Structure formats: C-alpha cells, structure tokens
Amino acid sequence: MSNVSYKDAGVDIDAGNAFVEAIKPAVKSTFDSNVIGGIGSFAGAYALPGGYKEPVMLAATDGVGTKLKLAIESKKLDTVGIDLVAMCVNDLICNFGTPLFFLDYYATGKLKVEDAKAVVEGIAEGCRQSECALIGGETAEMPGMYSEEDFDLAGFSVGIAEKSEMNRLEHVKEGNVLIALPSSGIHSNGFSLVRKLLFEKLGMKFEDEFNGKPLINTLLTPTRIYVKTFKALKSKINALAHITGGGLVENLPRVLPDNMQAVIDTSKIKVLPIFELIGKHVEKEEMFRTFNMGVGMVLVVNSENVDNVLENSDGYVIGELKAGEKGVTLL
C-alpha cells in the first residue's frame, strides 16, 4: 500500500499558506495604532484604549445566514464579508460599545485561494467602514464536512464601553421619538424565505432585471454599517435597536422598559422596492416579523434632539414612545 498524505485526504497546507500571504495587505489596511504585531501568530493582540473610567469589554458574534448560499451560487463573494462585520458591530453599538477589533472563521470543503481572498477583502472593507481592526482569523479546510463549493462564515467583534453608559433603559422615556436609519436592503436576515419565494415559487433567476439591475445584485447588497453614525450622534441618542431577524416587532422591545410601548406609523416607513415585491406574496404581519422593511436601525431620542439628529444623518421619524404594555404597535 502506498503512503497517503494530508493533501490526498483533501487538505492542502500549501494553499493555506498561500492564502495567508494573499490576504496580508487587506488585513494590514485595517490596523490602527493599538494593534500589536501582525497576522500569523497564535493570537491577535490589541492594546486597551485609554480614557475610560470604568471600561467594559463587549463581544458579539454572528454569521451571514443563507444569504451566503446565494453568494456561493452566483459566485459573487466580495460583499458577504461586509455583511459578516456589519451583523456583529451593529449589535455592539446598541450597547453603546465602540468596536475595537474583529476576527473571522472561514470553513470550507476545499480552499480556493482566490475565493477566500475575495471574502476576506470584504471583511477588511467592513472593518474599515466600522473603524475596527481585523487582527486575526481561522481558515479550516474540511473535506467531507462541506462540499468543494461550499463554505461557511462566522465573525467575532470586541468593543469597549464606559460602564456608566451601558444601561440605556433609564434614558428611555415616554414621549421619546423614534428615528429610522434606512437599511441598504434585506441585510442578512430572512433569506430562507427570500429564496423559497423568489426562486422556488416564482421561478425568478439571478440575472432577472429588478429595479434597473440584476436581481442578485439587489439581494447581495451588503448590510449597512452604522458605527460612524453612532459615534457622531452618541450624545443625542437615548437608545438604539439593530433591526435584524424579528424585524421592528421583536427588536425594538429589547431597548424598552416594561411600561413603555413603541407606536410606529407604518405609512412613514420608506419601504424598499425589494420588500414591495416580496410583500405581494407574504402577509404584512409576516413581513414585519421577518424583514427590516427598509429600517436598519432605530434611534430613540429626546424630542429636543430630533432636529439635530435628522440634520446629521439620513434618518427620519417613524413614531414615538407611549406609556403602556411593553411592545410595538404598528399603525
């Protein structure tokens, strides 16, 4: 019997080394002065920023969901990395955390250096947009676990907050105004329903024209990152909610005290064309419990701060807070 190598088993160590070399420029482009060392060590190192009285470290992790399947099938891999970063850092800011650094996990059946490089370059772009450093990651070639074309992604972001600023419930009061920050599209939730409806039931194709461009381009529009907006408006914000899976109905209550309800005028929501298409075949209640409907983040602000927030963002008013049973009322 002849000898068997790791490569014979489906794992190419040389490809892994080539991949690390290929992504070094993109990774280094995210570094700031707090990054210690480079990539290739056993762990990433990041110096704790100063200026905090009681610093608290926050961490968030997420993936991209079945949006990833559309990226793989369409061979458009340059944006899902942005989605990965966005889903983590957008959660961090809801706890008033400033993102510091990010790590990724890329698992595949067969490592294709150019494909993986495109994904990591997207992750680096997401890190630049959110002003955090990509200080490490892990690539796993797992034949037998994934097909050669498949891969999966997970992301991990760490941020820092002032302990005294983390409890936002004490700032949320009756009469506060709800300001919507527009989403860039479907973001990274609800794609199992999207795929079922558009491709299985309606028989649509990736290349079908939708709103002036191929449908797949609309579907793969990366999740918007709200970090810079948060930093600019932090002093004017009482609370903020990232509108992901569960939509407005399930995410807004997470920032409300027990005696408060969010009353939203749905006619004021700037619903995106893709949701209008999907909404022709899905009940309204289901739409609002599955999708962001064009609202990627909701800011809760005092009435006297509304004008300032609107002038310094692309937000618009969609409702207010009233005393009552905790929850969301859609008008």
PDB file of all heavy atoms in Angstrom, residues 289-317:
ATOM      1  N   ARG A 289     -42.333  40.782  10.828  1.00  0.00           N
ATOM      2  CA  ARG A 289     -41.679  39.916  11.806  1.00  0.00           C
ATOM      3  C   ARG A 289     -40.456  39.212  11.223  1.00  0.00           C
ATOM      4  O   ARG A 289     -39.744  38.510  11.934  1.00  0.00           O
ATOM      5  CB  ARG A 289     -42.653  38.861  12.340  1.00  0.00           C
ATOM      6  CG  ARG A 289     -43.748  39.414  13.215  1.00  0.00           C
ATOM      7  CD  ARG A 289     -44.561  38.314  13.886  1.00  0.00           C
ATOM      8  NE  ARG A 289     -43.771  37.618  14.900  1.00  0.00           N
ATOM      9  CZ  ARG A 289     -43.383  36.341  14.803  1.00  0.00           C
ATOM     10  NH1 ARG A 289     -43.678  35.637  13.729  1.00  0.00           N
ATOM     11  NH2 ARG A 289     -42.701  35.785  15.773  1.00  0.00           N
ATOM     12  N   THR A 290     -40.233  39.383   9.921  1.00  0.00           N
ATOM     13  CA  THR A 290     -39.129  38.697   9.253  1.00  0.00           C
ATOM     14  C   THR A 290     -38.067  39.656   8.743  1.00  0.00           C
ATOM     15  O   THR A 290     -36.865  39.395   8.872  1.00  0.00           O
ATOM     16  CB  THR A 290     -39.655  37.860   8.075  1.00  0.00           C
ATOM     17  OG1 THR A 290     -40.669  36.965   8.536  1.00  0.00           O
ATOM     18  CG2 THR A 290     -38.531  37.066   7.426  1.00  0.00           C
ATOM     19  N   PHE A 291     -38.507  40.792   8.182  1.00  0.00           N
ATOM     20  CA  PHE A 291     -37.598  41.697   7.485  1.00  0.00           C
ATOM     21  C   PHE A 291     -37.485  43.053   8.172  1.00  0.00           C
ATOM     22  O   PHE A 291     -38.335  43.429   8.974  1.00  0.00           O
ATOM     23  CB  PHE A 291     -38.076  41.905   6.044  1.00  0.00           C
ATOM     24  CG  PHE A 291     -38.163  40.646   5.240  1.00  0.00           C
ATOM     25  CD1 PHE A 291     -39.392  40.127   4.867  1.00  0.00           C
ATOM     26  CD2 PHE A 291     -37.016  39.967   4.852  1.00  0.00           C
ATOM     27  CE1 PHE A 291     -39.480  38.965   4.119  1.00  0.00           C
ATOM     28  CE2 PHE A 291     -37.091  38.801   4.102  1.00  0.00           C
ATOM     29  CZ  PHE A 291     -38.326  38.295   3.738  1.00  0.00           C
ATOM     30  N   ASN A 292     -36.458  43.795   7.781  1.00  0.00           N
ATOM     31  CA  ASN A 292     -36.288  45.141   8.345  1.00  0.00           C
ATOM     32  C   ASN A 292     -37.184  46.169   7.667  1.00  0.00           C
ATOM     33  O   ASN A 292     -37.350  47.276   8.181  1.00  0.00           O
ATOM     34  CB  ASN A 292     -34.818  45.582   8.292  1.00  0.00           C
ATOM     35  CG  ASN A 292     -34.283  45.750   6.881  1.00  0.00           C
ATOM     36  OD1 ASN A 292     -34.760  46.574   6.103  1.00  0.00           O
ATOM     37  ND2 ASN A 292     -33.247  44.979   6.535  1.00  0.00           N
ATOM     38  N   MET A 293     -37.741  45.826   6.504  1.00  0.00           N
ATOM     39  CA  MET A 293     -38.708  46.672   5.785  1.00  0.00           C
ATOM     40  C   MET A 293     -38.133  48.023   5.364  1.00  0.00           C
ATOM     41  O   MET A 293     -38.873  48.965   5.100  1.00  0.00           O
ATOM     42  CB  MET A 293     -39.976  46.868   6.625  1.00  0.00           C
ATOM     43  CG  MET A 293     -40.719  45.584   6.915  1.00  0.00           C
ATOM     44  SD  MET A 293     -41.191  44.670   5.431  1.00  0.00           S
ATOM     45  CE  MET A 293     -42.465  45.744   4.784  1.00  0.00           C
ATOM     46  N   GLY A 294     -36.826  48.121   5.321  1.00  0.00           N
ATOM     47  CA  GLY A 294     -36.193  49.387   4.941  1.00  0.00           C
ATOM     48  C   GLY A 294     -35.627  50.173   6.102  1.00  0.00           C
ATOM     49  O   GLY A 294     -35.051  51.248   5.916  1.00  0.00           O
ATOM     50  N   VAL A 295     -35.771  49.626   7.318  1.00  0.00           N
ATOM     51  CA  VAL A 295     -35.260  50.282   8.528  1.00  0.00           C
ATOM     52  C   VAL A 295     -34.177  49.398   9.142  1.00  0.00           C
ATOM     53  O   VAL A 295     -34.455  48.335   9.674  1.00  0.00           O
ATOM     54  CB  VAL A 295     -36.381  50.522   9.557  1.00  0.00           C
ATOM     55  CG1 VAL A 295     -35.811  51.178  10.816  1.00  0.00           C
ATOM     56  CG2 VAL A 295     -37.493  51.360   8.960  1.00  0.00           C
ATOM     57  N   GLY A 296     -32.930  49.850   9.062  1.00  0.00           N
ATOM     58  CA  GLY A 296     -31.836  49.026   9.570  1.00  0.00           C
ATOM     59  C   GLY A 296     -31.505  49.253  11.025  1.00  0.00           C
ATOM     60  O   GLY A 296     -31.021  48.367  11.716  1.00  0.00           O
ATOM     61  N   MET A 297     -31.792  50.456  11.504  1.00  0.00           N
ATOM     62  CA  MET A 297     -31.506  50.819  12.893  1.00  0.00           C
ATOM     63  C   MET A 297     -32.533  51.853  13.322  1.00  0.00           C
ATOM     64  O   MET A 297     -32.944  52.687  12.529  1.00  0.00           O
ATOM     65  CB  MET A 297     -30.096  51.401  13.006  1.00  0.00           C
ATOM     66  CG  MET A 297     -29.593  51.671  14.414  1.00  0.00           C
ATOM     67  SD  MET A 297     -29.016  50.184  15.286  1.00  0.00           S
ATOM     68  CE  MET A 297     -27.522  49.766  14.379  1.00  0.00           C
ATOM     69  N   VAL A 298     -32.983  51.763  14.578  1.00  0.00           N
ATOM     70  CA  VAL A 298     -33.903  52.755  15.129  1.00  0.00           C
ATOM     71  C   VAL A 298     -33.220  53.455  16.290  1.00  0.00           C
ATOM     72  O   VAL A 298     -32.706  52.801  17.209  1.00  0.00           O
ATOM     73  CB  VAL A 298     -35.229  52.123  15.602  1.00  0.00           C
ATOM     74  CG1 VAL A 298     -36.103  53.163  16.304  1.00  0.00           C
ATOM     75  CG2 VAL A 298     -35.983  51.532  14.421  1.00  0.00           C
ATOM     76  N   LEU A 299     -33.218  54.784  16.248  1.00  0.00           N
ATOM     77  CA  LEU A 299     -32.676  55.597  17.327  1.00  0.00           C
ATOM     78  C   LEU A 299     -33.827  56.107  18.185  1.00  0.00           C
ATOM     79  O   LEU A 299     -34.846  56.565  17.660  1.00  0.00           O
ATOM     80  CB  LEU A 299     -31.901  56.787  16.770  1.00  0.00           C
ATOM     81  CG  LEU A 299     -30.834  56.509  15.713  1.00  0.00           C
ATOM     82  CD1 LEU A 299     -30.137  57.812  15.320  1.00  0.00           C
ATOM     83  CD2 LEU A 299     -29.825  55.494  16.212  1.00  0.00           C
ATOM     84  N   VAL A 300     -33.661  56.038  19.496  1.00  0.00           N
ATOM     85  CA  VAL A 300     -34.620  56.607  20.436  1.00  0.00           C
ATOM     86  C   VAL A 300     -33.997  57.894  20.970  1.00  0.00           C
ATOM     87  O   VAL A 300     -32.928  57.854  21.585  1.00  0.00           O
ATOM     88  CB  VAL A 300     -34.913  55.636  21.597  1.00  0.00           C
ATOM     89  CG1 VAL A 300     -35.937  56.234  22.555  1.00  0.00           C
ATOM     90  CG2 VAL A 300     -35.398  54.286  21.056  1.00  0.00           C
ATOM     91  N   VAL A 301     -34.659  59.026  20.733  1.00  0.00           N
ATOM     92  CA  VAL A 301     -34.063  60.318  21.100  1.00  0.00           C
ATOM     93  C   VAL A 301     -35.094  61.216  21.785  1.00  0.00           C
ATOM     94  O   VAL A 301     -36.301  61.064  21.602  1.00  0.00           O
ATOM     95  CB  VAL A 301     -33.490  61.047  19.863  1.00  0.00           C
ATOM     96  CG1 VAL A 301     -32.477  60.181  19.137  1.00  0.00           C
ATOM     97  CG2 VAL A 301     -34.595  61.462  18.909  1.00  0.00           C
ATOM     98  N   ASN A 302     -34.604  62.148  22.577  1.00  0.00           N
ATOM     99  CA  ASN A 302     -35.470  63.172  23.161  1.00  0.00           C
ATOM    100  C   ASN A 302     -36.010  64.070  22.052  1.00  0.00           C
ATOM    101  O   ASN A 302     -35.330  64.318  21.048  1.00  0.00           O
ATOM    102  CB  ASN A 302     -34.703  64.023  24.169  1.00  0.00           C
ATOM    103  CG  ASN A 302     -34.304  63.248  25.415  1.00  0.00           C
ATOM    104  OD1 ASN A 302     -34.942  62.260  25.775  1.00  0.00           O
ATOM    105  ND2 ASN A 302     -33.228  63.683  26.055  1.00  0.00           N
ATOM    106  N   SER A 303     -37.220  64.589  22.256  1.00  0.00           N
ATOM    107  CA  SER A 303     -37.847  65.421  21.225  1.00  0.00           C
ATOM    108  C   SER A 303     -36.997  66.632  20.872  1.00  0.00           C
ATOM    109  O   SER A 303     -36.933  67.044  19.709  1.00  0.00           O
ATOM    110  CB  SER A 303     -39.241  65.862  21.685  1.00  0.00           C
ATOM    111  OG  SER A 303     -39.165  66.557  22.922  1.00  0.00           O
ATOM    112  N   GLU A 304     -36.295  67.195  21.867  1.00  0.00           N
ATOM    113  CA  GLU A 304     -35.489  68.387  21.595  1.00  0.00           C
ATOM    114  C   GLU A 304     -34.228  68.076  20.784  1.00  0.00           C
ATOM    115  O   GLU A 304     -33.562  68.995  20.275  1.00  0.00           O
ATOM    116  CB  GLU A 304     -35.088  69.087  22.897  1.00  0.00           C
ATOM    117  CG  GLU A 304     -34.242  68.263  23.844  1.00  0.00           C
ATOM    118  CD  GLU A 304     -35.075  67.523  24.895  1.00  0.00           C
ATOM    119  OE1 GLU A 304     -36.258  67.245  24.620  1.00  0.00           O
ATOM    120  OE2 GLU A 304     -34.536  67.238  25.983  1.00  0.00           O
ATOM    121  N   ASN A 305     -33.886  66.789  20.645  1.00  0.00           N
ATOM    122  CA  ASN A 305     -32.701  66.414  19.873  1.00  0.00           C
ATOM    123  C   ASN A 305     -33.031  65.928  18.468  1.00  0.00           C
ATOM    124  O   ASN A 305     -32.117  65.626  17.680  1.00  0.00           O
ATOM    125  CB  ASN A 305     -31.929  65.304  20.601  1.00  0.00           C
ATOM    126  CG  ASN A 305     -31.263  65.799  21.867  1.00  0.00           C
ATOM    127  OD1 ASN A 305     -30.863  66.963  21.946  1.00  0.00           O
ATOM    128  ND2 ASN A 305     -31.141  64.930  22.864  1.00  0.00           N
ATOM    129  N   VAL A 306     -34.312  65.866  18.141  1.00  0.00           N
ATOM    130  CA  VAL A 306     -34.723  65.305  16.857  1.00  0.00           C
ATOM    131  C   VAL A 306     -34.118  66.069  15.687  1.00  0.00           C
ATOM    132  O   VAL A 306     -33.541  65.479  14.763  1.00  0.00           O
ATOM    133  CB  VAL A 306     -36.256  65.267  16.744  1.00  0.00           C
ATOM    134  CG1 VAL A 306     -36.683  64.913  15.314  1.00  0.00           C
ATOM    135  CG2 VAL A 306     -36.836  64.258  17.715  1.00  0.00           C
ATOM    136  N   ASP A 307     -34.249  67.385  15.696  1.00  0.00           N
ATOM    137  CA  ASP A 307     -33.754  68.175  14.564  1.00  0.00           C
ATOM    138  C   ASP A 307     -32.264  67.978  14.351  1.00  0.00           C
ATOM    139  O   ASP A 307     -31.799  67.847  13.211  1.00  0.00           O
ATOM    140  CB  ASP A 307     -34.061  69.659  14.779  1.00  0.00           C
ATOM    141  CG  ASP A 307     -35.534  69.980  14.627  1.00  0.00           C
ATOM    142  OD1 ASP A 307     -36.273  69.131  14.070  1.00  0.00           O
ATOM    143  OD2 ASP A 307     -35.961  71.062  15.078  1.00  0.00           O
ATOM    144  N   ASN A 308     -31.505  67.937  15.435  1.00  0.00           N
ATOM    145  CA  ASN A 308     -30.065  67.763  15.319  1.00  0.00           C
ATOM    146  C   ASN A 308     -29.724  66.406  14.716  1.00  0.00           C
ATOM    147  O   ASN A 308     -28.840  66.294  13.855  1.00  0.00           O
ATOM    148  CB  ASN A 308     -29.414  67.918  16.692  1.00  0.00           C
ATOM    149  CG  ASN A 308     -27.900  67.813  16.633  1.00  0.00           C
ATOM    150  OD1 ASN A 308     -27.336  66.727  16.609  1.00  0.00           O
ATOM    151  ND2 ASN A 308     -27.237  68.965  16.599  1.00  0.00           N
ATOM    152  N   VAL A 309     -30.425  65.366  15.156  1.00  0.00           N
ATOM    153  CA  VAL A 309     -30.173  64.019  14.644  1.00  0.00           C
ATOM    154  C   VAL A 309     -30.526  63.933  13.159  1.00  0.00           C
ATOM    155  O   VAL A 309     -29.780  63.369  12.353  1.00  0.00           O
ATOM    156  CB  VAL A 309     -30.966  62.970  15.454  1.00  0.00           C
ATOM    157  CG1 VAL A 309     -30.886  61.604  14.779  1.00  0.00           C
ATOM    158  CG2 VAL A 309     -30.431  62.883  16.877  1.00  0.00           C
ATOM    159  N   LEU A 310     -31.654  64.523  12.781  1.00  0.00           N
ATOM    160  CA  LEU A 310     -32.071  64.483  11.383  1.00  0.00           C
ATOM    161  C   LEU A 310     -31.105  65.254  10.492  1.00  0.00           C
ATOM    162  O   LEU A 310     -30.823  64.843   9.362  1.00  0.00           O
ATOM    163  CB  LEU A 310     -33.486  65.043  11.231  1.00  0.00           C
ATOM    164  CG  LEU A 310     -34.608  64.275  11.944  1.00  0.00           C
ATOM    165  CD1 LEU A 310     -35.953  64.938  11.666  1.00  0.00           C
ATOM    166  CD2 LEU A 310     -34.634  62.815  11.520  1.00  0.00           C
ATOM    167  N   GLU A 311     -30.574  66.363  10.989  1.00  0.00           N
ATOM    168  CA  GLU A 311     -29.643  67.177  10.204  1.00  0.00           C
ATOM    169  C   GLU A 311     -28.300  66.490  10.002  1.00  0.00           C
ATOM    170  O   GLU A 311     -27.591  66.758   9.027  1.00  0.00           O
ATOM    171  CB  GLU A 311     -29.417  68.524  10.906  1.00  0.00           C
ATOM    172  CG  GLU A 311     -30.617  69.460  10.861  1.00  0.00           C
ATOM    173  CD  GLU A 311     -30.443  70.669  11.767  1.00  0.00           C
ATOM    174  OE1 GLU A 311     -29.354  70.791  12.380  1.00  0.00           O
ATOM    175  OE2 GLU A 311     -31.382  71.468  11.884  1.00  0.00           O
ATOM    176  N   ASN A 312     -27.960  65.584  10.908  1.00  0.00           N
ATOM    177  CA  ASN A 312     -26.648  64.943  10.860  1.00  0.00           C
ATOM    178  C   ASN A 312     -26.713  63.460  10.509  1.00  0.00           C
ATOM    179  O   ASN A 312     -25.784  62.701  10.802  1.00  0.00           O
ATOM    180  CB  ASN A 312     -25.936  65.136  12.201  1.00  0.00           C
ATOM    181  CG  ASN A 312     -25.549  66.581  12.443  1.00  0.00           C
ATOM    182  OD1 ASN A 312     -24.572  67.071  11.895  1.00  0.00           O
ATOM    183  ND2 ASN A 312     -26.349  67.285  13.248  1.00  0.00           N
ATOM    184  N   SER A 313     -27.799  63.059   9.892  1.00  0.00           N
ATOM    185  CA  SER A 313     -27.950  61.675   9.452  1.00  0.00           C
ATOM    186  C   SER A 313     -28.958  61.642   8.308  1.00  0.00           C
ATOM    187  O   SER A 313     -29.516  62.674   7.927  1.00  0.00           O
ATOM    188  CB  SER A 313     -28.442  60.787  10.608  1.00  0.00           C
ATOM    189  OG  SER A 313     -29.809  61.064  10.905  1.00  0.00           O
ATOM    190  N   ASP A 314     -29.198  60.461   7.774  1.00  0.00           N
ATOM    191  CA  ASP A 314     -30.244  60.297   6.759  1.00  0.00           C
ATOM    192  C   ASP A 314     -31.507  59.707   7.387  1.00  0.00           C
ATOM    193  O   ASP A 314     -32.340  59.107   6.703  1.00  0.00           O
ATOM    194  CB  ASP A 314     -29.756  59.421   5.610  1.00  0.00           C
ATOM    195  CG  ASP A 314     -29.306  58.029   6.067  1.00  0.00           C
ATOM    196  OD1 ASP A 314     -29.234  57.793   7.295  1.00  0.00           O
ATOM    197  OD2 ASP A 314     -29.023  57.182   5.196  1.00  0.00           O
ATOM    198  N   GLY A 315     -31.650  59.887   8.702  1.00  0.00           N
ATOM    199  CA  GLY A 315     -32.798  59.340   9.408  1.00  0.00           C
ATOM    200  C   GLY A 315     -34.073  60.126   9.192  1.00  0.00           C
ATOM    201  O   GLY A 315     -34.066  61.257   8.714  1.00  0.00           O
ATOM    202  N   TYR A 316     -35.174  59.502   9.572  1.00  0.00           N
ATOM    203  CA  TYR A 316     -36.487  60.151   9.504  1.00  0.00           C
ATOM    204  C   TYR A 316     -37.380  59.576  10.603  1.00  0.00           C
ATOM    205  O   TYR A 316     -37.185  58.442  11.064  1.00  0.00           O
ATOM    206  CB  TYR A 316     -37.121  59.964   8.120  1.00  0.00           C
ATOM    207  CG  TYR A 316     -37.330  58.514   7.712  1.00  0.00           C
ATOM    208  CD1 TYR A 316     -38.543  57.870   7.924  1.00  0.00           C
ATOM    209  CD2 TYR A 316     -36.296  57.791   7.099  1.00  0.00           C
ATOM    210  CE1 TYR A 316     -38.734  56.553   7.544  1.00  0.00           C
ATOM    211  CE2 TYR A 316     -36.479  56.473   6.724  1.00  0.00           C
ATOM    212  CZ  TYR A 316     -37.698  55.852   6.941  1.00  0.00           C
ATOM    213  OH  TYR A 316     -37.884  54.547   6.573  1.00  0.00           O
ATOM    214  N   VAL A 317     -38.360  60.352  11.037  1.00  0.00           N
ATOM    215  CA  VAL A 317     -39.211  59.978  12.164  1.00  0.00           C
ATOM    216  C   VAL A 317     -40.256  58.952  11.735  1.00  0.00           C
ATOM    217  O   VAL A 317     -40.923  59.121  10.702  1.00  0.00           O
ATOM    218  CB  VAL A 317     -39.905  61.224  12.751  1.00  0.00           C
ATOM    219  CG1 VAL A 317     -40.885  60.823  13.854  1.00  0.00           C
ATOM    220  CG2 VAL A 317     -38.863  62.205  13.293  1.00  0.00           C
TER     221      VAL A 317
END
